[in-house]
Amino acid sequence: MPTPDDDRSAAAILRAVGGQENVTRLTHCFVRLRFRLRDPAAADIEALSAHPLVALAVWQLDELHIAPRRDLFRLFDELKDMLGDVASH
């Protein structure tokens, strides 16, 4: 069941990865959001890990993988809308 905080989850995740200007690519698999970032140091892994919707935030090669506890596809769609052409899958 969605909570009021869910409406702000995509925005909080986007801020924690360094903002819209830091994202060069966004994709997903069945369980993770996958970000490629201009400046990986701008990502706040601690903030991501502390977010109640995030189960895991980890670097995998040159991608930041975020596994949400639920609503992966909703989050992806919201992030895609915020990012425009950057998002592709």
Side-chain angles (χ1 to χ4, degrees):
M1 172 146 215
T3 68
D5 289 336
D6 288 348
D7 293 337
R8 296 183 298 274
S9 295
I13 289 170
L14 187 57
R15 277 192 307 277
V17 299
Q20 179 177 357
E21 62 282 347
N22 197 37
V23 179
T24 61
R25 185 165 184 222
L26 171 67
T27 59
H28 69 82
C29 64
F30 194 67
V31 295
R32 294 180 182 182
L33 298 166
R34 297 169 181 232
F35 290 85
R36 290 222 177 136
L37 305 176
R38 280 186 179 81
D39 179 9
D44 187 344
I45 300 294
E46 288 181 25
L48 287 165
S49 297
H51 192 285
L53 190 57
V54 174
L56 173 75
V58 64
W59 285 100
Q60 190 77 18
L61 299 174
D62 62 346
E63 291 183 329
L64 176 59
H65 290 209
I66 299 171
R69 296 182 192 282
R70 63 181 188 282
D71 301 330
L72 171 85
F73 300 111
R74 178 185 62 81
L75 286 170
F76 178 79
D77 288 342
E78 290 177 13
L79 287 162
K80 183 174 68 170
D81 289 344
M82 292 178 194
L83 294 168
D85 292 339
V86 169
S88 64
H89 182 81

